[in-house]
Amino acid sequence: MTLEPESLGQSRSDLAEALRRERKRAGHTQTWLAKRCNMSQTKISNIEGGKLTPTIVDVELILEALQAGGKLVPEILALARTANTEWQDDWSSLRRGLDKKQNELARLENVTREFRYFLPTMITSLLATPEYIRASVSRNSGDMSKTVAKKVERQRVLLDDSKRFTFLLTEQAVRWPLVKPVAMGMQLDHLASVSRIPTVRLGVIPLGLTPIAETPLNVFTCYDRRLVTVETATGALVLRDHRDVNAYREDFDRYEQYALFDDACRALLSEWAEIFTRQRP
């Protein structure tokens, strides 16, 4: 199935209709189906009404209970996979206000316990100095001061003892000169400081030390086993299918093998910071 961003909302209603139609074809009530799937009748009703997007596992359980077969099963599962994918384009975020996007991220961070950030291109705002953050949003029109303030405010989540963060940054991401050399030196010193926070595990993948068989394509973040966000040049995909989440977690585990952590990481950051600070403004 080809994924078109504008089709995502339609896929949810198509999935709801397909599941409702299949239940009626099998001659069963919502109450019967709920008992067979160990779900509440309210959940089945919300799924069939399009108010709740079922997970892939939910759909598999429903189809098995209804003894669905033939070409119908892969078609409905394809709808479920698309329905569990969300496209967030940058233009919509700009229209609503980037500060509101920061509020959404803060809510997601509030309910997440384990975070995995793979950063092959630049430093995420959770690890950034205010000057670096301002530079990262400078291409957007309008007053970005509120957005910068929200991004800085979100950094407090790193001090929450109930959460665990792992950040993997490539050397390119760390050394990309987004701000002036002195500011870059300060940014790298900040990374070293953040790496000492007990809830944070920060690793850098240096270039040239060893062959790396993996080929990174995108920035991505894993939120528990709940979802993954994958960033592109014009927006982000939000993936909730457990197969997608597991695939990105496995990718993260492979990249992690190439990273340096703790004192070895801080030694590299200090060396690169010194290179920046020796440069002229």
Side-chain angles (χ1 to χ4, degrees):
M1 176 179 291
T2 300
L3 176 63
E4 297 292 342
E6 61 271 17
S7 72
L8 297 179
Q10 184 61 41
S11 71
R12 295 187 182 97
S13 59
D14 289 345
L15 175 62
E17 174 59 30
L19 293 173
R20 181 169 60 250
R21 185 171 59 246
E22 184 60 18
R23 176 183 60 78
K24 290 183 177 180
R25 182 203 60 77
H28 298 299
T29 64
Q30 290 182 349
T31 301
W32 179 92
L33 182 58
K35 290 180 179 178
R36 290 298 297 266
C37 296
N38 196 27
M39 301 178 189
S40 68
Q41 187 273 331
T42 299
K43 180 174 180 177
I44 295 293
S45 176
N46 287 337
I47 288 172
E48 292 188 357
K51 298 178 182 178
L52 174 67
T53 302
T55 67
I56 304 295
V57 173
D58 288 338
V59 174
E60 289 173 341
L61 286 172
I62 290 171
L63 293 177
E64 182 179 353
L66 297 175
Q67 298 183 334
K71 295 190 300 182
L72 183 67
V73 171
E75 289 176 359
I76 292 180
L77 287 174
L79 281 174
R81 185 175 177 82
T82 306
N84 276 276
T85 302
E86 178 184 346
W87 170 250
Q88 298 178 344
D89 65 88
D90 288 344
W91 297 282
S92 295
S93 295
L94 283 171
R95 284 196 298 271
R96 290 187 298 113
L98 291 181
D99 58 307
K100 292 183 175 60
K101 174 67 174 179
Q102 298 308 305
N103 291 336
E104 293 173 3
L105 288 171
R107 287 194 294 271
L108 179 56
E109 289 161 356
N110 185 54
V111 299
T112 302
R113 291 294 172 262
E114 182 196 44
F115 302 78
R116 297 182 174 196
Y117 290 81
F118 180 64
L119 306 164
T121 57
M122 64 182 294
I123 298 166
T124 179
S125 59
L126 283 181
L127 304 174
T129 62
E131 186 166 354
Y132 190 98
I133 293 173
R134 279 192 292 273
S136 72
V137 299
S138 61
R139 64 185 179 89
N140 299 306
S141 59
D143 183 5
M144 290 289 108
S145 57
K146 188 181 294 186
T147 298
V148 173
K150 290 284 187 181
K151 285 177 176 283
V152 172
E153 182 182 349
R154 280 179 47 226
Q155 294 177 356
R156 291 186 300 178
V157 74
L158 299 177
L159 303 178
D160 188 334
D161 291 338
S162 69
K163 303 181 186 296
R164 292 295 178 267
F165 299 83
T166 303
F167 297 93
L168 293 183
L169 300 96
T170 63
E171 179 177 338
Q172 173 177 310
V174 173
R175 301 182 67 177
W176 189 264
L178 189 65
V179 292
K180 293 180 179 180
V182 171
M184 282 300 302
M186 294 174 63
Q187 172 60 73
L188 270 59
D189 287 341
H190 181 68
L191 287 179
S193 297
V194 172
S195 73
R196 297 182 184 277
I197 298 175
T199 60
V200 173
R201 187 163 181 260
L202 191 149
V204 172
I205 302 174
L207 299 176
L209 292 186
T210 183
I212 299 178
E214 311 298 329
T215 305
L217 298 176
N218 297 91
V219 173
F220 66 84
T221 306
C222 303
Y223 296 87
D224 292 328
R225 293 184 179 274
R226 180 185 296 110
L227 61 86
V228 174
T229 60
V230 183
E231 298 183 27
T232 73
T234 57
L237 283 170
V238 181
L239 307 174
R240 295 180 175 85
D241 185 334
H242 67 94
R243 292 171 297 184
D244 290 322
V245 174
N246 288 339
Y248 276 97
R249 287 176 66 92
E250 290 169 4
D251 283 348
F252 191 93
D253 289 340
R254 287 194 293 270
Y255 294 134
E256 191 172 3
Q257 298 174 18
Y258 301 104
L260 299 179
F261 292 90
D262 302 320
D263 289 342
C265 172
R266 287 188 283 271
L268 267 183
L269 292 173
S270 178
E271 175 186 331
W272 295 337
E274 180 64 22
I275 292 173
F276 276 117
T277 56
R278 286 202 305 263
Q279 296 178 32
R280 292 184 178 181

PDB file of all heavy atoms in Angstrom, residues 72-97:
ATOM      1  N   LEU A  72      -9.501 -10.762   2.373  1.00  0.00           N
ATOM      2  CA  LEU A  72      -9.982  -9.725   3.280  1.00  0.00           C
ATOM      3  C   LEU A  72      -8.970  -9.415   4.377  1.00  0.00           C
ATOM      4  O   LEU A  72      -8.753  -8.261   4.749  1.00  0.00           O
ATOM      5  CB  LEU A  72     -11.306 -10.171   3.899  1.00  0.00           C
ATOM      6  CG  LEU A  72     -11.992  -9.157   4.822  1.00  0.00           C
ATOM      7  CD1 LEU A  72     -12.454  -7.960   4.015  1.00  0.00           C
ATOM      8  CD2 LEU A  72     -13.168  -9.809   5.538  1.00  0.00           C
ATOM      9  N   VAL A  73      -8.328 -10.459   4.914  1.00  0.00           N
ATOM     10  CA  VAL A  73      -7.430 -10.275   6.049  1.00  0.00           C
ATOM     11  C   VAL A  73      -6.266  -9.338   5.723  1.00  0.00           C
ATOM     12  O   VAL A  73      -6.042  -8.352   6.428  1.00  0.00           O
ATOM     13  CB  VAL A  73      -6.920 -11.635   6.578  1.00  0.00           C
ATOM     14  CG1 VAL A  73      -5.821 -11.429   7.617  1.00  0.00           C
ATOM     15  CG2 VAL A  73      -8.077 -12.420   7.192  1.00  0.00           C
ATOM     16  N   PRO A  74      -5.462  -9.603   4.659  1.00  0.00           N
ATOM     17  CA  PRO A  74      -4.361  -8.671   4.367  1.00  0.00           C
ATOM     18  C   PRO A  74      -4.833  -7.263   4.027  1.00  0.00           C
ATOM     19  O   PRO A  74      -4.149  -6.287   4.316  1.00  0.00           O
ATOM     20  CB  PRO A  74      -3.647  -9.321   3.169  1.00  0.00           C
ATOM     21  CG  PRO A  74      -4.604 -10.312   2.615  1.00  0.00           C
ATOM     22  CD  PRO A  74      -5.443 -10.768   3.761  1.00  0.00           C
ATOM     23  N   GLU A  75      -6.033  -7.142   3.432  1.00  0.00           N
ATOM     24  CA  GLU A  75      -6.558  -5.813   3.097  1.00  0.00           C
ATOM     25  C   GLU A  75      -6.871  -5.025   4.373  1.00  0.00           C
ATOM     26  O   GLU A  75      -6.540  -3.842   4.487  1.00  0.00           O
ATOM     27  CB  GLU A  75      -7.810  -5.948   2.232  1.00  0.00           C
ATOM     28  CG  GLU A  75      -7.534  -6.440   0.816  1.00  0.00           C
ATOM     29  CD  GLU A  75      -8.800  -6.657   0.022  1.00  0.00           C
ATOM     30  OE1 GLU A  75      -9.905  -6.441   0.590  1.00  0.00           O
ATOM     31  OE2 GLU A  75      -8.696  -7.044  -1.157  1.00  0.00           O
ATOM     32  N   ILE A  76      -7.506  -5.693   5.346  1.00  0.00           N
ATOM     33  CA  ILE A  76      -7.848  -5.011   6.591  1.00  0.00           C
ATOM     34  C   ILE A  76      -6.595  -4.709   7.400  1.00  0.00           C
ATOM     35  O   ILE A  76      -6.457  -3.631   7.997  1.00  0.00           O
ATOM     36  CB  ILE A  76      -8.839  -5.850   7.418  1.00  0.00           C
ATOM     37  CG1 ILE A  76     -10.194  -5.915   6.696  1.00  0.00           C
ATOM     38  CG2 ILE A  76      -9.029  -5.268   8.816  1.00  0.00           C
ATOM     39  CD1 ILE A  76     -11.252  -6.729   7.425  1.00  0.00           C
ATOM     40  N   LEU A  77      -5.628  -5.636   7.413  1.00  0.00           N
ATOM     41  CA  LEU A  77      -4.392  -5.380   8.134  1.00  0.00           C
ATOM     42  C   LEU A  77      -3.605  -4.231   7.513  1.00  0.00           C
ATOM     43  O   LEU A  77      -2.947  -3.458   8.216  1.00  0.00           O
ATOM     44  CB  LEU A  77      -3.538  -6.651   8.175  1.00  0.00           C
ATOM     45  CG  LEU A  77      -4.042  -7.754   9.114  1.00  0.00           C
ATOM     46  CD1 LEU A  77      -3.197  -9.002   8.961  1.00  0.00           C
ATOM     47  CD2 LEU A  77      -4.055  -7.284  10.563  1.00  0.00           C
ATOM     48  N   ALA A  78      -3.673  -4.110   6.183  1.00  0.00           N
ATOM     49  CA  ALA A  78      -3.016  -2.980   5.518  1.00  0.00           C
ATOM     50  C   ALA A  78      -3.674  -1.669   5.936  1.00  0.00           C
ATOM     51  O   ALA A  78      -2.999  -0.654   6.158  1.00  0.00           O
ATOM     52  CB  ALA A  78      -3.068  -3.153   4.007  1.00  0.00           C
ATOM     53  N   LEU A  79      -5.014  -1.674   6.047  1.00  0.00           N
ATOM     54  CA  LEU A  79      -5.713  -0.481   6.525  1.00  0.00           C
ATOM     55  C   LEU A  79      -5.297  -0.153   7.956  1.00  0.00           C
ATOM     56  O   LEU A  79      -5.092   1.011   8.308  1.00  0.00           O
ATOM     57  CB  LEU A  79      -7.230  -0.715   6.480  1.00  0.00           C
ATOM     58  CG  LEU A  79      -7.936  -0.581   5.131  1.00  0.00           C
ATOM     59  CD1 LEU A  79      -9.394  -1.002   5.266  1.00  0.00           C
ATOM     60  CD2 LEU A  79      -7.845   0.846   4.609  1.00  0.00           C
ATOM     61  N   ALA A  80      -5.160  -1.196   8.788  1.00  0.00           N
ATOM     62  CA  ALA A  80      -4.782  -0.974  10.191  1.00  0.00           C
ATOM     63  C   ALA A  80      -3.389  -0.380  10.291  1.00  0.00           C
ATOM     64  O   ALA A  80      -3.131   0.501  11.117  1.00  0.00           O
ATOM     65  CB  ALA A  80      -4.855  -2.299  10.951  1.00  0.00           C
ATOM     66  N   ARG A  81      -2.479  -0.853   9.441  1.00  0.00           N
ATOM     67  CA  ARG A  81      -1.114  -0.339   9.462  1.00  0.00           C
ATOM     68  C   ARG A  81      -1.095   1.149   9.091  1.00  0.00           C
ATOM     69  O   ARG A  81      -0.425   1.957   9.725  1.00  0.00           O
ATOM     70  CB  ARG A  81      -0.244  -1.132   8.492  1.00  0.00           C
ATOM     71  CG  ARG A  81       1.224  -0.753   8.531  1.00  0.00           C
ATOM     72  CD  ARG A  81       2.037  -1.676   7.637  1.00  0.00           C
ATOM     73  NE  ARG A  81       3.434  -1.286   7.596  1.00  0.00           N
ATOM     74  CZ  ARG A  81       4.331  -1.616   8.513  1.00  0.00           C
ATOM     75  NH1 ARG A  81       3.971  -2.351   9.548  1.00  0.00           N
ATOM     76  NH2 ARG A  81       5.591  -1.226   8.418  1.00  0.00           N
ATOM     77  N   THR A  82      -1.847   1.518   8.067  1.00  0.00           N
ATOM     78  CA  THR A  82      -1.907   2.912   7.658  1.00  0.00           C
ATOM     79  C   THR A  82      -2.595   3.775   8.718  1.00  0.00           C
ATOM     80  O   THR A  82      -2.175   4.896   8.991  1.00  0.00           O
ATOM     81  CB  THR A  82      -2.647   3.056   6.316  1.00  0.00           C
ATOM     82  OG1 THR A  82      -2.034   2.212   5.352  1.00  0.00           O
ATOM     83  CG2 THR A  82      -2.605   4.497   5.818  1.00  0.00           C
ATOM     84  N   ALA A  83      -3.649   3.219   9.332  1.00  0.00           N
ATOM     85  CA  ALA A  83      -4.370   3.965  10.363  1.00  0.00           C
ATOM     86  C   ALA A  83      -3.491   4.228  11.579  1.00  0.00           C
ATOM     87  O   ALA A  83      -3.717   5.191  12.315  1.00  0.00           O
ATOM     88  CB  ALA A  83      -5.627   3.210  10.783  1.00  0.00           C
ATOM     89  N   ASN A  84      -2.493   3.372  11.799  1.00  0.00           N
ATOM     90  CA  ASN A  84      -1.583   3.555  12.930  1.00  0.00           C
ATOM     91  C   ASN A  84      -0.377   4.409  12.573  1.00  0.00           C
ATOM     92  O   ASN A  84       0.596   4.453  13.323  1.00  0.00           O
ATOM     93  CB  ASN A  84      -1.134   2.192  13.453  1.00  0.00           C
ATOM     94  CG  ASN A  84      -2.133   1.593  14.418  1.00  0.00           C
ATOM     95  OD1 ASN A  84      -2.124   1.898  15.609  1.00  0.00           O
ATOM     96  ND2 ASN A  84      -3.020   0.754  13.901  1.00  0.00           N
ATOM     97  N   THR A  85      -0.440   5.061  11.429  1.00  0.00           N
ATOM     98  CA  THR A  85       0.613   5.969  10.997  1.00  0.00           C
ATOM     99  C   THR A  85       0.046   7.383  10.903  1.00  0.00           C
ATOM    100  O   THR A  85      -1.021   7.589  10.343  1.00  0.00           O
ATOM    101  CB  THR A  85       1.177   5.564   9.617  1.00  0.00           C
ATOM    102  OG1 THR A  85       1.674   4.231   9.687  1.00  0.00           O
ATOM    103  CG2 THR A  85       2.296   6.496   9.188  1.00  0.00           C
ATOM    104  N   GLU A  86       0.745   8.330  11.468  1.00  0.00           N
ATOM    105  CA  GLU A  86       0.292   9.728  11.458  1.00  0.00           C
ATOM    106  C   GLU A  86       1.361  10.595  10.795  1.00  0.00           C
ATOM    107  O   GLU A  86       2.556  10.420  11.047  1.00  0.00           O
ATOM    108  CB  GLU A  86       0.056  10.202  12.893  1.00  0.00           C
ATOM    109  CG  GLU A  86      -0.381  11.655  13.007  1.00  0.00           C
ATOM    110  CD  GLU A  86      -0.502  12.078  14.471  1.00  0.00           C
ATOM    111  OE1 GLU A  86      -0.511  11.199  15.353  1.00  0.00           O
ATOM    112  OE2 GLU A  86      -0.559  13.300  14.713  1.00  0.00           O
ATOM    113  N   TRP A  87       0.918  11.502   9.930  1.00  0.00           N
ATOM    114  CA  TRP A  87       1.832  12.423   9.263  1.00  0.00           C
ATOM    115  C   TRP A  87       1.643  13.814   9.845  1.00  0.00           C
ATOM    116  O   TRP A  87       0.531  14.348   9.891  1.00  0.00           O
ATOM    117  CB  TRP A  87       1.572  12.447   7.765  1.00  0.00           C
ATOM    118  CG  TRP A  87       2.305  13.533   7.026  1.00  0.00           C
ATOM    119  CD1 TRP A  87       1.761  14.648   6.452  1.00  0.00           C
ATOM    120  CD2 TRP A  87       3.711  13.610   6.772  1.00  0.00           C
ATOM    121  NE1 TRP A  87       2.742  15.407   5.871  1.00  0.00           N
ATOM    122  CE2 TRP A  87       3.947  14.807   6.048  1.00  0.00           C
ATOM    123  CE3 TRP A  87       4.796  12.787   7.101  1.00  0.00           C
ATOM    124  CZ2 TRP A  87       5.223  15.180   5.641  1.00  0.00           C
ATOM    125  CZ3 TRP A  87       6.061  13.170   6.690  1.00  0.00           C
ATOM    126  CH2 TRP A  87       6.271  14.355   5.968  1.00  0.00           C
ATOM    127  N   GLN A  88       2.732  14.401  10.335  1.00  0.00           N
ATOM    128  CA  GLN A  88       2.700  15.761  10.887  1.00  0.00           C
ATOM    129  C   GLN A  88       3.591  16.641  10.025  1.00  0.00           C
ATOM    130  O   GLN A  88       4.819  16.588  10.132  1.00  0.00           O
ATOM    131  CB  GLN A  88       3.199  15.750  12.338  1.00  0.00           C
ATOM    132  CG  GLN A  88       2.359  14.914  13.281  1.00  0.00           C
ATOM    133  CD  GLN A  88       2.911  14.888  14.690  1.00  0.00           C
ATOM    134  OE1 GLN A  88       4.064  15.232  14.931  1.00  0.00           O
ATOM    135  NE2 GLN A  88       2.091  14.488  15.647  1.00  0.00           N
ATOM    136  N   ASP A  89       2.969  17.438   9.154  1.00  0.00           N
ATOM    137  CA  ASP A  89       3.780  18.268   8.264  1.00  0.00           C
ATOM    138  C   ASP A  89       4.177  19.574   8.947  1.00  0.00           C
ATOM    139  O   ASP A  89       3.479  20.078   9.820  1.00  0.00           O
ATOM    140  CB  ASP A  89       3.041  18.549   6.949  1.00  0.00           C
ATOM    141  CG  ASP A  89       1.788  19.376   7.162  1.00  0.00           C
ATOM    142  OD1 ASP A  89       1.900  20.614   7.151  1.00  0.00           O
ATOM    143  OD2 ASP A  89       0.702  18.793   7.348  1.00  0.00           O
ATOM    144  N   ASP A  90       5.320  20.102   8.530  1.00  0.00           N
ATOM    145  CA  ASP A  90       5.857  21.312   9.156  1.00  0.00           C
ATOM    146  C   ASP A  90       4.960  22.522   8.952  1.00  0.00           C
ATOM    147  O   ASP A  90       4.875  23.404   9.806  1.00  0.00           O
ATOM    148  CB  ASP A  90       7.253  21.616   8.596  1.00  0.00           C
ATOM    149  CG  ASP A  90       8.297  20.630   9.114  1.00  0.00           C
ATOM    150  OD1 ASP A  90       8.015  19.933  10.109  1.00  0.00           O
ATOM    151  OD2 ASP A  90       9.383  20.553   8.512  1.00  0.00           O
ATOM    152  N   TRP A  91       4.277  22.588   7.811  1.00  0.00           N
ATOM    153  CA  TRP A  91       3.452  23.764   7.516  1.00  0.00           C
ATOM    154  C   TRP A  91       2.276  23.863   8.494  1.00  0.00           C
ATOM    155  O   TRP A  91       1.920  24.947   8.948  1.00  0.00           O
ATOM    156  CB  TRP A  91       2.965  23.703   6.072  1.00  0.00           C
ATOM    157  CG  TRP A  91       4.101  23.746   5.107  1.00  0.00           C
ATOM    158  CD1 TRP A  91       4.826  24.836   4.712  1.00  0.00           C
ATOM    159  CD2 TRP A  91       4.699  22.626   4.454  1.00  0.00           C
ATOM    160  NE1 TRP A  91       5.822  24.467   3.838  1.00  0.00           N
ATOM    161  CE2 TRP A  91       5.777  23.129   3.659  1.00  0.00           C
ATOM    162  CE3 TRP A  91       4.445  21.257   4.442  1.00  0.00           C
ATOM    163  CZ2 TRP A  91       6.577  22.296   2.873  1.00  0.00           C
ATOM    164  CZ3 TRP A  91       5.244  20.430   3.665  1.00  0.00           C
ATOM    165  CH2 TRP A  91       6.296  20.954   2.894  1.00  0.00           C
ATOM    166  N   SER A  92       1.676  22.701   8.819  1.00  0.00           N
ATOM    167  CA  SER A  92       0.580  22.716   9.803  1.00  0.00           C
ATOM    168  C   SER A  92       1.085  23.156  11.165  1.00  0.00           C
ATOM    169  O   SER A  92       0.425  23.915  11.877  1.00  0.00           O
ATOM    170  CB  SER A  92      -0.053  21.325   9.902  1.00  0.00           C
ATOM    171  OG  SER A  92      -0.669  20.967   8.689  1.00  0.00           O
ATOM    172  N   SER A  93       2.281  22.683  11.535  1.00  0.00           N
ATOM    173  CA  SER A  93       2.860  23.081  12.819  1.00  0.00           C
ATOM    174  C   SER A  93       3.111  24.581  12.869  1.00  0.00           C
ATOM    175  O   SER A  93       2.877  25.233  13.887  1.00  0.00           O
ATOM    176  CB  SER A  93       4.165  22.325  13.060  1.00  0.00           C
ATOM    177  OG  SER A  93       3.929  20.941  13.198  1.00  0.00           O
ATOM    178  N   LEU A  94       3.586  25.133  11.758  1.00  0.00           N
ATOM    179  CA  LEU A  94       3.842  26.574  11.703  1.00  0.00           C
ATOM    180  C   LEU A  94       2.549  27.371  11.821  1.00  0.00           C
ATOM    181  O   LEU A  94       2.500  28.404  12.492  1.00  0.00           O
ATOM    182  CB  LEU A  94       4.563  26.925  10.404  1.00  0.00           C
ATOM    183  CG  LEU A  94       6.056  26.586  10.354  1.00  0.00           C
ATOM    184  CD1 LEU A  94       6.592  26.769   8.933  1.00  0.00           C
ATOM    185  CD2 LEU A  94       6.846  27.443  11.328  1.00  0.00           C
ATOM    186  N   ARG A  95       1.496  26.891  11.160  1.00  0.00           N
ATOM    187  CA  ARG A  95       0.211  27.601  11.228  1.00  0.00           C
ATOM    188  C   ARG A  95      -0.342  27.594  12.649  1.00  0.00           C
ATOM    189  O   ARG A  95      -0.897  28.595  13.112  1.00  0.00           O
ATOM    190  CB  ARG A  95      -0.792  26.959  10.263  1.00  0.00           C
ATOM    191  CG  ARG A  95      -0.564  27.296   8.798  1.00  0.00           C
ATOM    192  CD  ARG A  95      -1.791  26.953   7.970  1.00  0.00           C
ATOM    193  NE  ARG A  95      -2.092  25.537   8.021  1.00  0.00           N
ATOM    194  CZ  ARG A  95      -1.603  24.617   7.188  1.00  0.00           C
ATOM    195  NH1 ARG A  95      -0.753  24.993   6.223  1.00  0.00           N
ATOM    196  NH2 ARG A  95      -1.934  23.348   7.279  1.00  0.00           N
ATOM    197  N   ARG A  96      -0.207  26.474  13.331  1.00  0.00           N
ATOM    198  CA  ARG A  96      -0.729  26.376  14.700  1.00  0.00           C
ATOM    199  C   ARG A  96       0.174  27.089  15.695  1.00  0.00           C
ATOM    200  O   ARG A  96      -0.261  27.488  16.766  1.00  0.00           O
ATOM    201  CB  ARG A  96      -0.867  24.905  15.101  1.00  0.00           C
ATOM    202  CG  ARG A  96      -1.970  24.173  14.381  1.00  0.00           C
ATOM    203  CD  ARG A  96      -2.170  22.770  14.935  1.00  0.00           C
ATOM    204  NE  ARG A  96      -0.972  21.948  14.750  1.00  0.00           N
ATOM    205  CZ  ARG A  96      -0.223  21.516  15.736  1.00  0.00           C
ATOM    206  NH1 ARG A  96      -0.497  21.840  16.986  1.00  0.00           N
ATOM    207  NH2 ARG A  96       0.845  20.761  15.500  1.00  0.00           N
ATOM    208  N   GLY A  97       1.458  27.223  15.343  1.00  0.00           N
ATOM    209  CA  GLY A  97       2.437  27.820  16.248  1.00  0.00           C
ATOM    210  C   GLY A  97       3.370  26.751  16.783  1.00  0.00           C
ATOM    211  O   GLY A  97       2.920  25.754  17.361  1.00  0.00           O
TER     212      GLY A  97
END
